[in-house]
Structures are given as structure tokens and as C-alpha cells.
Amino acid sequence: MSAALRLMADAPGPGDPARSGRWFDVSEFDRHSALTAAEAAALAALDLRELQRNRSTGTGPPRRTATCWNALERLRDPVDQAIGALQHEDSPKSRRFARHAGAIVLGNCGELGRAWWGWSAWDWARLIGPDRAAFNTAQARPAESGVRAFLIALAYQLGDFAEFQHVGAFNRLYLAHLVFGPSAVDAAISQAGEVAAGWGYRHQPPGAMAAILLANRSPLLRDLDDAAFARLGQHPTLSADRNHSALYSLQRICADLGYCRPPVREGRNNAPGLPAVPEPWAGYIERWHQTSTLTPHARAVVRTNLAKVGRWLAEQHPEAVEPADWTRALCAAWIAAVDRMNIGDFVARTDHLNARFGRPIAPRTKAHLLTCLRIFFHDLQEWEWVPRRFDPGRTLALPRSIAALIGTDPRVIAEDVWAKLLWAGLNLTADDLPDHGGYYPLPILRALALTWLFAGLRSDEIIRLRRGCIRWQHQGRPITGEAPEITADQAVCLLDVPVNKTNTAFTKPVDPILGQAIETWQAQRPDQPKRLDPKTNEYVEILFSTRANPVARDYLNRALIPILCAKAAVPTNDVRGRITSHRARSTIATQLYNAKEPMTLFELQAWLGHRSPVTTQHYAKITPNTLTKAYTEAGYFARNVRTIEVLIDRDAVAAADGTPWQHYDLGHGWCAYDFFEQCPHRMACAKCDFYTPKNSTKAQILEAKNNLQRMLTAIPLTEDEQAAVEDGQAALDRLIDRLTDTPT
């Protein structure tokens, strides 16, 4: 039928699904849906068998032998046209299916007392039935297996029926072939499949593709523009997860073909609304969310925590739901509430909390709640949305009692466990993957595993690595990875790390085995569309991307690390907790810091990409072996207890006569200093009060004294030289006096 005019149907009755518009050509028949007396009498006289049998036979014109057929002209002619427009094979069986479906439509007109163009979507759904068994049971005559599909096609053409969610499961691809023709549908699916195959998709589900084409009422991909995808996104038939995912993929394909803009996947970190949050607090939250320049993830976290504040206000302080009404006293009340808060308090839903419900929240969670409110009020005051009544930095500061419970604690993985994980990553095979495969191909998983094991990056940095991030150098000059004259141990592999949460983009050296694994994946990586980097707001080629999607952010912790643990025969949890992606960063930093030729703290800071060396200190832990070696070389016991053979009470000996009790033989004299090995003046013993010369050196001292006297009388000296000689002469005089009472 032509589509000259679109007439919107009346509002649905109680219990009816939402009704879509109808397509009619008003020049062909009258719009009034009520049956005339002649039409009602004719339908009563013709049973279903006669309605089916008196259809056209073969390819000739329709036979109308009964006189009552003339009264059904406005009902039967459009049905005949719709049947003639169906694209089915020219066989007696298909023609029989079509005649039976048309007879069911005309028979139902008599039962309802209305023409088929006056039916609602719910009338068509009742006629088709929720499944094939229900449809067969409701028929007056047994229906063959293909009749229901032809009836759905007639409903689609005559009644603009597309609410397929009410008629159960059926072959959407076959329906699209009936309506549009196999060649047109297969061409569209093939065109989309070629683009998807270039991205790494194994196949594009034809049933979901057919459902989208049917909902758009066109088999041409060029008809899927921005307006069409906006409309299809709200279509109830495509609301299922599988169809919604197929719609997202098809929009990306059409965007690549130039028919529309690429889709933007909405975040799923927070609920679309703010349930139980009072106004105007909820309004300020949404206004702040639209104005803040934080990253989308950070804004979503702040929004969620501010919603908790709003629910607390509605329950405890309904008079202060306006941000301008907050005072220091109310801030103190919120801090106290946070300190006593439990899991499940002031949240939108609690069904996912399970056994954690009712437990006290963690200290870090308390800090996040206060930080979010502090950011909120700071921005509101800076933007002059509310007056400055308090300083958020001081009034909403984290209490010391809570801050004392929070500390950086990178957890190092034991060396034996880490060695087994390294072996597992280097020897990962397809047999180690679930069902000998999965969504991601083996080369991308190998490169991803070695990046986690060797690069020391955050999970966010790993999944945001860009294509071409590996570079090779030899003696400071760039080379290619395939340079035959340079071996792997001679080349230097450099990894370009993108912008992260604490630093700008930087370059770090990594093991060549990592560079080889990444280049192996890059050689097999399908061409992928560019993705928007949320941190830099630029479209880039993501390295770990396949099927037009980057690797999921939680894939490392959720899937890949458990696979490596299973291959290495180590548990996914150790004494320090679960083995996660970030623990590798601390483990690698610790091993580099405790190596035979260790990296300095500042070198390690540059390699990890930290802004401050204070952060690096939390990652670089001193291992027990390194600490033991340093402690042994310090000689603590030998340094403090030098005379093991004689254990005496030194204080008692010293108090007996007040004279020194222990001497160290210097050859030319004795030293009575208890800590002789720490004396910084060993070459100036003559001036030291602890020094006692031997009697055998008295002649040498007298001769030295005479030499000094000769210098004073015979040699002209400057004032500084004369002072030095006199000082030495005085020291020798004191030594001679001390030898006066010394026995030989």
C-alpha cells in the first residue's frame, strides 16, 4: 500500500499497550472502521473456509463467486494488495499460508465488528497470540506452521503493528524477508557485517538486525540517521539487552558509513533520578553536575554521595534542604552522622548489599562523603550560588580520629607467588581460557597480561594505552622492532604512557618481551574506530580494542588475573587480600628498589609516573632480605659490645678511684677514651686529654720541644705560624708533666 497519509490512532484503552500510528491511503477506502450492515451480514454468511477458499488461486485474478463478496470490497481489496506485496517464494504452500492469514484477518473483522484499520495494537496482538501454541489453539480450523508468520506480516503492513514484544518469539529475519524481500535485507546485513568483521566481530546477529530494520520500516542502512536512532532507542521492541546492544553496534556501523553520528553510551554509575532526595537540594545537585568540570566518573560519585546527604536532610533536618541554610552547626551534625553511619543508610536501594547491610562504613568511605560535600559547597560559594557562611575546608574537614585510620597501603605480592604469575603470563595458551576462547582473542590477552606483569601501570592506564605506544632504541637512536642486526637484549623498549590521574603523558623503559607481545597484537589487531578518551577529550586509537570496543575496565580483576592464578596454581587471595591489578604496581616497584643495582627513589618516581617522591615511598618497600643485609653490615652487636670476654660493671670501676680503667694501645701511647673507634681526632692525640704517652717516647717529646723552641728563636714566623708553634709546645709540656709520675 502507498504511504500517502499517516493518521494517528486514538488513545489506547485500559490494559492496551502504547499504540503506534497507522499508514492509510484515504483515496482507496473510507476511514470509518465500523462495519456496515451489508459487511456484517456478508462476513456472517462466509465462514473461514470459504474466506480462505475464495481467494485467488495460482497467479490468476481472484475468484469471487459468492454474491456477498461484493459487499466486502473495501475490506478485501487492501488485504489482497498486502498479500500481493509479500516477498515469498512462488509455491502453492506459500500461497496457501497467505490465503489463510488473509481469511483470519477478515474473519476477525466480523467478530470485532470493526474494519481492520480500526484495530488497536492490542487487537492485533490478541489475534496473533503470545506464541504459536496459543495461536493454533485459538483458530477455528487447524493452521499450518507458516500461517502465523504471514499473519504477522499482514499486521505489520496493514496495521503498522510493530509491538513484537507481545507476540513472543518468532523468526524476525523471515518476517523481514517477507516484508522487504530477501535481497534487500541480506544486502543490508552483509554491508553491516563487512564493517563489523573489519573491527573483529565474528558475526552480526541477523535476527537483531532484522528487528531494527523492521522497527525503522526500511531495509536500507542509509535510512538509519540520527533521528531514526533516537526514535529506535525508545522503541519497546528493542528494549531487550541483546537488541539494545545490537542497536548500539549498528549505530556505530552507520556512523562509520557516514549515515549518522556515533553513539554516546550513557554512564551507568548512578541512577537516572534522585529518589527520595528533597527539593531544592536535588535541583542544586543536578545543576552542579551539569556545571562541574570534573571527569564524568568523579561527577557521578559526588552526585551519588550528595544524594545521601539529601536523604539525611529529609529525615533529620527538613528545614535545611536549601544549601544556603547550612551552618557550621549543621556541618558538625553531618560529620557526626557520617562517623556513625552504617552500610545501607540513606541509599536508594539495599537489595544488592546482602550480608554487608548494617555494617559500619569504612574510614575511607567516610572521607569520601565529607570530601564530596566539601567540593559541593566550595563550588557553590565560588560560583556565588549561595552566600559564604562558613569555610568548607575547615568546617567539613576530616576528623583526626578518622584520618588516623586511613593510610596508603600498597600490598606487595610474595616473590614466589609473583614468579608463578610471571610464568603463567609468559606461557598463556588458548587452553587456559574459559571454553578454550572467549570474547577477546588470545594475542590481546597475552599482551594485556604481560603489560600488567611488566609495565607497572594502573588499570586505567593499561586500557587507555594507544596504538603505536611501543618504540625501540639502540644506543640512543630509534630503530624498528624488526631490525635484524640488533638482538632483543641490545635494544631498548620504550612505552608511551597516556595522561594519568597524577601526571602528564610520559615515556618509560620496559622489558623487550613486553614490546614484542604488544607488537604481535598490533599486527593482528583489526582496524578499529577511534574512541573518545575521557581524560583528554580527543578521539584516539585504543591499543587493547576489538569489535569496536576497548577492553572493559574491570576485565583485569574480574577475569584475566583469576585465569593467571588458575594456571599458576595460586589462590586469588593471599594473606594481604585479593590479588588485584594495582598490587602488581607495588610489587614491581619494590623489586626494582631492592635489586642488586637498585633504582634510586627519584628514578623510581619517574618510572612510576608519580608527581611526588612521597607517593613513591609508599610503593617502594624494603624487602626483609635487603633489610637483613643492611642490618648485618651495620654491626650493631659488635659496635656496642666490643669486649665480649669481660662482662664488667663499668660504672662501678670508674667510681672506685676516679681514674681511667681501660686503655687502647696506640704504639706511641695509650688512649683512655671509651669509644675510641668513633674518635674523629686520632691524628691529634697530643692535644687530647684522654691520651697518655708511653715512657719510651719521652726522649722524642723532649727533642720535638727543642725543635719548636729553635723555630721560635731562629726562624722568622708570621703571627699565625707562631701561634701554631706555641700551641704545639704547650701540648708537649703537658705530656712531659703527665709522664713525671708515670712508672717505667
Side-chain angles (χ1 to χ4, degrees), residues 60-83:
R63 294 187 300 113
R64 300 291 184 260
T65 57
T67 57
C68 55
W69 272 105
N70 296 329
L72 301 179
E73 181 179 0
R74 71 166 189 157
L75 298 178
R76 58 180 170 83
D77 287 353
V79 175
D80 290 340
Q81 294 176 17
I83 292 176

Side-chain angles (χ1 to χ4, degrees), residues 116-359:
W116 47 262
W117 58 82
W119 296 356
S120 67
W122 197 245
D123 293 329
W124 285 106
R126 290 193 187 99
L127 183 62
I128 297 171
D131 51 41
R132 182 186 298 177
F135 169 75
N136 293 334
T137 303
Q139 301 309 308
R141 294 184 62 237
E144 298 180 83
S145 59
V147 174
R148 186 169 184 261
F150 277 78
L151 180 60
I152 298 175
L154 291 180
Y156 180 84
Q157 287 190 321
L158 296 174
D160 196 21
F161 177 77
E163 282 76 7
F164 301 134
Q165 71 275 14
H166 300 298
V167 296
F170 66 94
N171 193 333
R172 262 84 167 167
L173 181 61
Y174 182 63
L175 176 62
H177 284 173
L178 282 177
V179 175
F180 302 126
S183 59
V185 175
D186 293 343
I189 294 177
S190 176
Q191 184 182 10
E194 290 178 0
V195 178
W199 293 345
Y201 281 95
R202 297 176 183 175
H203 65 277
Q204 190 73 1
M209 280 282 298
I212 296 172
L213 297 178
L214 288 168
N216 197 44
R217 307 196 69 84
S218 173
L220 303 177
L221 292 184
R222 64 171 176 266
D223 292 337
L224 290 168
D225 53 11
D226 294 332
F229 279 108
R231 183 177 65 255
L232 294 175
Q234 306 297 325
H235 201 284
T237 303
L238 304 178
S239 60
D241 291 340
R242 181 179 180 183
N243 290 335
H244 189 76
S245 177
L247 183 65
Y248 181 85
S249 301
L250 185 59
Q251 186 173 358
R252 301 194 64 184
I253 292 172
C254 291
D256 188 75
L257 295 173
Y259 300 147
C260 65
R261 291 193 299 266
V264 178
R265 189 183 294 274
E266 297 180 356
R268 301 182 180 180
N269 295 325
N270 53 283
L274 295 173
V277 178
E279 291 290 348
W281 187 264
Y284 274 94
I285 294 177
E286 296 294 359
R287 186 182 177 189
W288 175 91
H289 188 268
Q290 298 297 327
T291 309
S292 175
T293 57
L294 296 176
T295 62
H297 176 72
R299 291 202 309 271
V301 172
V302 174
R303 180 177 182 269
T304 301
N305 288 332
L306 291 177
K308 293 183 180 181
V309 182
R311 298 185 188 100
W312 173 76
L313 289 174
E315 180 179 324
Q316 302 292 336
H317 299 276
E319 74 284 354
V321 294
E322 171 72 45
D325 296 335
W326 274 63
T327 62
R328 292 184 178 88
L330 189 58
C331 292
W334 169 245
I335 294 175
V338 169
D339 188 41
R340 296 159 179 79
M341 192 174 293
N342 296 323
I343 297 176
D345 292 348
F346 311 113
V347 298
R349 46 185 290 263
T350 60
D351 56 313
H352 62 291
L353 299 177
N354 300 325
R356 298 188 300 124
F357 182 81
R359 297 180 181 178

Side-chain angles (χ1 to χ4, degrees), residues 402-665:
I402 301 177
L405 303 176
I406 302 174
T408 55
D409 186 24
R411 296 165 294 167
V412 179
I413 302 175
E415 291 188 359
D416 56 336
V417 175
W418 184 248
K420 294 179 181 179
L421 291 174
L422 282 174
W423 172 86
L426 293 171
N427 297 276
L428 189 65
T429 62
D431 295 336
D432 302 319
L433 306 179
D435 300 328
H436 303 287
Y439 184 85
Y440 299 113
L442 181 61
I444 190 176
L445 294 183
R446 280 180 173 171
L448 189 63
L450 293 183
T451 304
W452 176 65
L453 292 167
F454 285 92
L457 298 177
R458 304 177 182 92
S459 60
D460 174 73
E461 297 168 349
I462 292 177
I463 64 173
R464 289 176 49 245
L465 287 175
R466 302 176 180 180
R467 184 181 181 185
C469 62
I470 288 295
R471 294 184 287 112
W472 298 88
Q473 284 187 355
H474 177 62
Q475 295 180 353
R477 297 181 179 179
I479 60 174
T480 62
E482 299 83 11
E485 68 279 2
I486 300 175
T487 60
D489 57 347
Q490 295 175 337
V492 176
C493 182
L494 300 177
L495 176 66
D496 294 329
V497 184
V499 176
N500 53 69
K501 70 175 186 178
T502 60
N503 206 347
T504 58
F506 67 99
T507 302
K508 63 192 300 185
V510 294
D511 198 280
I513 196 171
L514 172 58
Q516 295 170 359
I518 290 180
E519 288 194 336
T520 300
W521 161 241
Q522 285 186 155
Q524 304 179 31
R525 175 182 179 270
D527 291 335
Q528 303 288 301
K530 292 185 177 181
R531 296 279 298 192
L532 179 66
D533 191 330
K535 285 192 177 295
T536 60
N537 286 328
E538 58 182 346
Y539 282 92
V540 297
E541 291 188 273
I542 301 297
L543 172 64
F544 296 116
S545 176
T546 185
R547 304 185 187 182
N549 285 295
V551 172
R553 183 172 183 175
D554 62 339
Y555 183 78
L556 270 173
N557 292 330
R558 176 175 49 84
L560 185 57
I561 293 179
I563 290 174
L564 296 177
C565 291
K567 182 176 180 62
V570 297
T572 56
N573 291 67
D574 57 12
V575 294
R576 297 178 178 176
R578 182 186 174 194
I579 297 178
T580 60
S581 61
H582 203 70
R583 292 188 62 182
R585 184 172 168 87
S586 178
T587 302
I588 297 173
T590 299
Q591 292 190 1
L592 293 175
Y593 189 68
N594 293 273
K596 185 177 181 179
E597 296 182 2
M599 296 177 66
T600 65
L601 186 64
F602 294 101
E603 292 171 343
L604 195 58
Q605 173 195 353
W607 193 83
L608 292 174
H610 286 152
R611 181 178 298 177
S612 170
V614 176
T615 307
T616 310
Q617 290 178 335
H618 297 299
Y619 285 81
K621 303 292 186 181
I622 299 179
T623 62
N625 293 338
T626 303
L627 192 61
T628 300
K629 181 180 178 182
Y631 177 79
T632 303
E633 293 178 352
Y636 171 78
F637 188 77
R639 188 183 187 93
N640 291 277
V641 185
R642 293 174 299 275
T643 309
I644 289 297
E645 295 83 359
V646 181
L647 300 178
I648 56 177
D649 189 346
R650 302 185 180 185
D651 294 336
V653 173
D657 56 1
T659 59
W661 65 276
Q662 186 176 17
H663 297 81
Y664 295 89
D665 188 357

